[in-house]
Each structure stands twice: as structure tokens, then as C-alpha cells.
Amino acid sequence: MKLELLLVFSVIVGIFTAQDAAAQNRTVITGRVFSSEGQKPLAGVSIKVRGTSQGTTTNAEGDYSITVASPKAVLVVSSIGFEQQDVPVNSRSVINVTLTLSSNELQQVVVIGYGTVKKRDLTGSVSQVKAEDINAYPASSVLQALQGRASGVQVLQNSGGPGDAVSIRIRGTNSIKGDNEPLYVVDGFPLSGNPTVLNNADIESIEILKDASATAIYGSRGANGVVLITTKRGKAGKTKVNFESSYSVQTLRKKLDFMNAKEYAQFYNEQAKNDNLTPYFSQAQIDSFGTGFDWQDLVFQKAPMKTLALNVNGGNEKTQYSFTGSVLDQDGIIRGSNYKRYSLGVNLNNSISDKVRLNFSTLLSRNSNNRLNEGRGSNRGGSMISAALSAPPTLTPYNNDGSYRVLTTAYSFISNSIVNPLNYINEETDLNTANKVLANVAFMYNPIPELTIKLSGGIENTDAREDSYRTTKFVSSAGQASVSTSQFTSLLSENTVTYNRTFKKKHNLAVLGGFTYQNFISTSLTGGGVGFINDVGQTYDLNSASTPGIPGSGYSKSVIMSYLGRINYTYNDKYLATVSFRSDGSSKYSEGHKWGNFPSAALAWRVSKEDFLKNVALLSDLKLRLGWGFTGSQAIGPYTTLSQLVSGKTVFNGSLYTTFSPSTRLPGNLKWETTEQKDIGIDVGVLNNRILFTADYYVKNTHDLLNDVELPPSSGYANTIQNIGEVQNHGFEFGVDAKLLRGAFKWNVNANLSVNRNKVVRLADGEDILGGKLSQAIVVDNTNILREGQPIGMFWGYVEDGYDSKGHIVFKDLDKDGAITPNDRTYIGNPNPDFIYGFNSDLSYKNFDFSFFLQGVKGNDLFNVNAINNTIDYGYGLNMPREVYNNHWTPANTNAKYPVISRSVTANVSNRFVEDGSYLRLKNIQLAYNFPVNKLGGNWIRNLQVYVSGQNLLTFTKYSWFDPEVNASGGSASTTLGLDWYSYPTSKSVTFGIRAGF
């Protein structure tokens, strides 16, 4: 705490002791800015005084006014879509400027770690996603908006539920035990997790740093890539109000074709016959059933999603502001599930003087998510989705008296685990709420125009609570409640100095140095109970439980301290070099290994500036890039390297005592996981940069992987963690951005394609690591394997070899020992895709805009866990796809897809359940109309657009279940990929919306 107070004090003292004398001989400059096409006035043009924080923007008539301190000042005039102009004042008081249209995307500024740079001057591999793409369609998470937008970025949707988690992999999976998610940095603040605090409409741009030369400035947190998120800020000029709202109708993308009541009865009568049992249904019953009840229609619904966002921004040359507020209210396509987010944001910039500036930003949000027992880990109808698919269509959900039907007693042959879905919909809640705060303040001092001293501090805070309650009306329930709360706080102090100067018009030098400190404090508290007289109190009166649970609590703290530096040098706009270094110290690691060093370097050569290419009119830009560097991953939690005591309870002589015992994990002498990455790239621009092409090839080697190692019982410990292991990723990335048509009819396209290959190079003692543990009654085994020389997460199991004479599944005896044993398992699939891709097309004609966005994955396999119970597990009354009814083994159909319908059928984790997960999806399609507001009279409205769009309307795939976009076991540290385990399905939707500016 003393160190934290000292850092805060140093920031305050450093600012308020920085005094600057008032400038003399100040001059007011006025003028108007025009477009070169038709000499029309331009509104919203940025006008800044070079080397100072002063700035303003033109009003609706193109007029501006700005004060300069010197007659030798230079005005920097810029606007999106136009060439920047640097205009010397030369003692003038009236300066009119004409800007020429630009097709040069490379002049745009992109955000990099601790700074910005023109896109054309990048030496590393960086992808940018713009605001219009991020906000192209409604999404509950900003991470969903990244899918298909940038090369090298794979977005894995773990579940289709509202507000559910999304996993991001940049250039593959690096760690086995550690986190594989990228570092998210919002307005300069490195977050501890995903940016759920953000609303998509608040974001100005997202930059994705991919290679080591770009990410090494973040050191031990950059191995998985870095996602820089910049929120919208105010600009000098008139106050502007931006409003947008949308209403979407979501539906189930694909309904599964299961047996109707008559087919169900005939199917299980056949099973009874094959097992020498009395038929379950008489012919009269079968004839009376008809189609029966559709349980999918009971569980799935048409669900609305509503969004609303309001932004107010403006200011003058000294102070600029931006205020945002937004609401997202999404009901899930499964009844009873929903997600709500309310957020507020404030960004303030203030020029205290010509040399001192203040920036302040804060984001506040409240999220609530009512989750349901979707199904992962369920067996024979023991979860919401499993029950919706497995419930007999011969039965209805209600008894004649209106009570819930108990399915386990409906038939003598039915599963004893199956639960009427109404219990989950109406009698169980799992409400997660979180209040999040992210706040930043920064002081910048320019003693001379070329030097910037920046002192900044921030806080991230999350207060979360989960309330789970099962009522006394839930089948076989006496009432069950649990409450858990958690608090997370992170304090950040960053202090940097930047020097940027151009020498003799050919040499540009930018030098960055700094020191950072960040801590992470987590606390938790849990409680619960079973047995309630009634459901009035639910989770708000745990004391009324007849059997209280044992409460629990927790605390952890870790600290990271860093020194960083970077040098950027450019000669004659032709040769570019970047060198960076960061040294991180973490409290998590052992003595002697707390500090890690992460250097990087990059070179770029703008070949198009060479004399031998200057006369190639077609070629606008050609740049070659070469990068190398080290990044790291902490991969362990606090106190992992320390000997710990674990508390417990025991009874001795009839009394209860508290005990403390050593942990079953032996502390290890651990050091950082380190990733070395090499990258070579090329950037090409043709036709005055109307067509831009970029390509990269990279190799990433992650060594000193942290992994669990089992210990012999004689050691007194069960396991330990050691730095043993290595993983490699390598691949290609391609991207193209083209303005194909200009004029009245405009057509812009951009596309990307990424290929990544990974393999496990080394594991502890060469031992395999099995994952994806299943417990599905008839199948209890692992689905995935980590093995040296193979890709991460390969599916591992048995290979089928047809049926025997009785219609039972036969497995290949791979080791030829005459028996089917675990030694007969082999690789049965690969969840890693061959490539991922995205394609976006924007067309406009007069007042109409039309766009569509395609996104896809090719070559990945999925393991369909659902099919174990719902296509093979016969004899327990579970409903199944109609395909099983029509295409199963009989003496007359021995080449069937499914075995004989009998309880005696056995199954294993096998290639039967592995399916092609490739898909091509129409992610979004939109038609918009822009009203000609300039003809409405007055200047009270700037723009007005209405649109209709569709999301996920078309999906081309061979996958048999709900949706191929699934990753049930996904998570930040998961290497178990490609499982579909009764996952919440992805929805499709139609959206109506409006966007307006005032």
C-alpha cells in the first residue's frame, strides 16, 4: 500500500509542479475549409497546432477559429478521406484551406502499444477493425464482432446463449496450462479478462497486435497477442448527438428432425423385440399417437433483442468531451434465459495550458445474465437441452391436473435421469450480476514540442454475485440455494516519456521509455443451504435452510512491475526500424525467476521508394517487413510457488476440530513461459492504394511450458508444476482491401484468410496428456490427447469396422492382440481448422447502402457428444433423430448407419461421433436507406439512416446437429477443442434499426 500511495503522490506532485508561463503575442486565426470536389465547405475537419495540444474542428459551414502563440506556427488540417495538409501561419490571420480527396488507406493512424503510428509506417503485423464493422450488427459482446474481420484471429463461440463467453485465439494456441486469451487494453488500461464492460457503439477502433515486434512492448502478457480497444472521444466544434437503436427477432437456426410419437412407439417396440421383451405399446396406442408433442417447441422460442445507444460529444479548442449511454436487452431462444447490460461512459480531454493536457475516461456497466442448465456434462435427459431432445413425443409436459409430468415414472423403460424441461424453465434460476468500473486519468506535459511526459493511473473494479436457486416444486427437490460473491480490483500506474523529432527532413526518431506498476486483488465468499419450507426467501434467506452449507471465502493478490522502452527510426520514408525491450517482474514466481526480459526488433523496407520502382505507375506502395521477438505468459496463479496449508474439519473424540494440512501439490521452482516469434510480411498498394494487399508468414515457438507432473505416492504429494514442454505454431495470413468502384456507385470489399498449424514439440517425460473426459453412461473415456509431434487437442479413440452378425459395432484391433483394449485407440479427428476466412462487401448507390459479410471455417472436426445418448443409447426411452429410425441395422439392412436397436449395443469414443465442422455462413446482410437530410431544411440533423438486416440467415455445413459454431469445453486455458455437448444453439435473427446524428 505504501508503494501504491507513493506512486499516486508522485503523479500529483509531478503534474502540479509542472508550471508553464503563459504564451505571449497570441493570434486568432479564422478561415474555412473546402473540398477539392466542387469547392464545398467541409464540416468536422480537424485543425491542430503542430507541437501543441491545441485543436478545433470546423462547423457545419466549414468555418473554424483557433488561437496560436506564434506567427511561425503550423496548422495541421486533416479529415478522414482527405489528404492531410500542413499549413504555415506566416503571420496571417485568415487562412482558407482546400483538401483533396484521398484513396490512401495507408495514411490512417493506428494505435500500437503506448502510442500511435501511421498505417503505412508499421513495421509489425497489426490488423485494424473499424467502428462501422464493429457495430455492423447487434452483438452482446465486442469479441463476436471480430469474427472474420481480421486475419490470424479465430473467434470461438463456446455457447450460443445470451452473454455467454467467447474465446479468441491469435495465431494459435500457445499454452497447455496457462491462459490462451489475448491481452485486452481499453484506452491504455490492460484488463484482467474480457472487455464485457464495453458496448459496441462506444468503440472507435480495434487494433490487433499479432507478431512479437508489436506485442513485446507488453512483455509477459503479450504471448497470445494484444487487442487494443479505443473508445470514442470528443472533438472541438459544435455539440453532436448520435443516436442508434435496433430491434431483433431471434429464432433457432436449425430445428433437429427427431422421431414423432408414432415412430417413437414403433422404434421402442422394435428394441423390446430385439431384447426379447414384451412390446411397450399396443398397436391401438400406436395408431392413436399421431405426431405427438414437440418438446423442442416447448423449450425454444422467438426471442427479442433490443439495443439503444446515445452519444453526446463536442467541445472547444481547450476542452473536448464525449458522453455515452447504452442498453442491451437480449432474451435467449431458450425460454427463461436472458442477458442485460447497462453502460455509461465519459471521455474528457482538457488543455490546461499550451504544454499541459489532461485526459480522463471512465466506463461503468451493470451486467445481469440468467443462465440455465444448458446441458454440458448431462446424461440421458438430465439437463435442459438434453431433456428437450430426449423427452418422449408420446407424452405432454403437464398432467391432467396441471402439474408437471414426472418423466422418470412415465414408462418402465425410461431413463431415471430425464427431467421435464419445465422444471428448468420455471423452477430454477442462476442469476449472475456484475458491476464493473474502468477509470483512467493521464497528465501529459510537453516542455518542448518534441517531448511528451505522460503520468497516468487507473482502476479496474468488478463486484459480482451469483444467485442459484432450485424451488421446492422442482422434481425431487426440497429447495436448494447457493450464493457466491467475488470482488476484483486492479490498480495501475504508468509513467512514460516520448521523444519524437524529424531531422533534416529525412530522419525521424521516436523514443519511448517508461515504468509501470499494476496489482491484482481478488476476494470471494460463498454460502448455501438445502431444505426450505417455501420459496419466498430463495437466496435471500439462507438461514432458513434446514441443512446449511459450509461457507467459504478466499483472497489472493499479485503484483507486476515493468520497465519498457522502444525506438522507432525512419530514414527518408524508405527504411524503417523498431527495437523494443520490456522487463517484467511478477510476484507469482520463485526467487531468482521473478524477472523476465522480452526484447524485439523489426525492419521494414519501402521498396516502392527505390529508383528502380519509381516509374511503375501501377504500384503505389511496396513494403517488406521482418520481425523477431520474445513475449511471455505468467500461466500460474498467485502463491503457486509457495508451500501452502489447506484448512479442513475433522471429528475427534466426538468434537469437531479445524485442521491444517499441506497441499497435495509440491511447490516448484518456476519461471516464465516464453514465446519466440519470427515474422516476415509484405504490404502492397496498387492504383493509388485503392487496392491494398498484405501477407505474413510466422513461426512461434513457446518453451518452458508450465504443466502438471504426477509424483509417486512415496513423495507425500500428488503432483507438482514444472517448466517442461514446448509448442509450435506457424502459418500464413492474407488480407486484401479494395475500393473497386468510385463515383455515384461505390463498391468496397475486404477479405482475409488465415492458415495456422500447431504441434506439441515436447511434454514432460514424453508422456501423453488426455483431456475431454466424458461420462455418458455407455461411454466413459477421454476424447482429446496432447502428444509430442501432433496438433493440440487431437481427437483420440477407436476406429469402427462395421457390424457383426448381430448388428453390434465392431472396432478395429489395431495392435493385433486379438482383443479391443485402450491400446487400440488412435487419432480419429483434428479440431484445428485448415483455414479460416472472411469476406465483406459494401455497395452504395445514391441514398441506398447494401452490404453482406461472409465468414467461414474449413477443415476442422467436431466431436458430437450429443449423439452418444441420442443415437446409440437404446433402451432408455430417449427420443432420437428420425434418421436412426430409418437407417439402423436389421437383417435386411446390414450396411446401415446405426447399429441394431438393442440395449446390448456398446459404444466407445470412436470415429462414429466425429463430424466435419466446416461451414460457410452469411454472418450479416443489410439494406439501408440514408435520408437526404440536407433537403429537410435547417441544420438540426446531420444524418438519418434506417436499415433492415439479417444475421446467420444462411449456413452451409455438413454438421448434423444444431450448429457447427460450438466449443463446449472452451475457455481461456482450454486445450480441449471441438466438443458439442448439448450446447446452447446459435440463433439467426432479423434486425430493424435506426441511426441518427444531430
Side-chain angles (χ1 to χ4, degrees), residues 703-852:
H703 54 86
D704 292 329
L705 284 178
L706 290 157
N707 199 14
D708 291 317
V709 177
E710 292 186 4
L711 297 176
S714 59
S715 69
Y717 294 92
N719 57 53
T720 187
I721 300 177
Q722 296 180 6
N723 287 101
I724 300 178
E726 185 175 345
V727 166
Q728 183 186 87
N729 287 272
H730 67 276
F732 293 91
E733 298 170 357
F734 305 95
V736 64
D737 196 329
K739 295 176 173 61
L740 298 180
L741 296 175
R742 298 176 62 178
F745 186 86
K746 298 181 178 65
W747 185 19
N748 300 331
V749 301
N750 56 71
N752 64 83
L753 185 145
S754 308
V755 178
N756 183 76
R757 299 288 181 267
N758 65 48
K759 68 176 180 180
V760 179
V761 178
R762 188 165 62 92
L763 293 173
D765 298 324
E767 294 290 331
D768 298 338
I769 300 175
L770 297 177
K773 183 71 173 181
L774 299 183
S775 181
Q776 290 296 99
I778 62 170
V779 174
V780 180
D781 206 344
N782 298 94
T783 60
N784 300 76
I785 188 171
L786 297 177
R787 173 173 285 183
E788 289 184 355
Q790 295 296 321
I792 291 174
M794 289 287 286
F795 292 134
W796 180 249
Y798 299 86
V799 178
E800 295 190 6
D801 193 20
Y803 304 107
D804 63 16
S805 60
K806 295 182 179 180
H808 294 103
I809 300 171
V810 175
F811 299 97
K812 288 186 177 181
D813 181 14
L814 298 181
D815 64 356
K816 308 298 183 183
D817 67 349
I820 300 301
T821 68
N823 292 331
D824 293 309
R825 291 178 295 180
T826 187
Y827 311 113
I828 56 175
N830 186 352
N832 300 284
D834 293 338
F835 59 88
I836 59 177
Y837 58 95
F839 177 87
N840 188 73
S841 173
D842 293 308
L843 302 100
S844 64
Y845 178 71
K846 294 186 177 179
N847 296 327
F848 290 93
D849 295 336
F850 175 73
S851 64
F852 64 89

Side-chain angles (χ1 to χ4, degrees), residues 923-985:
K923 196 71 177 178
N924 189 58
I925 184 170
Q926 176 176 292
L927 177 65
Y929 179 74
N930 301 287
F931 287 89
V933 294
N934 57 324
K935 297 180 180 180
L936 298 179
N939 57 3
W940 59 276
I941 185 169
R942 292 181 292 110
N943 60 277
L944 176 62
Q945 182 191 77
V946 294
Y947 66 90
V948 59
S949 64
Q951 292 76 47
N952 302 336
L953 296 184
L954 293 174
T955 300
F956 303 95
T957 183
K958 295 179 180 178
Y959 185 57
S960 64
W961 224 247
F962 283 118
D963 195 82
E965 192 177 343
V966 64
N967 189 38
S969 295
S972 61
S974 175
T975 56
T976 300
L977 307 174
L979 296 191
D980 185 1
W981 199 341
Y982 295 115
S983 303
Y984 198 119

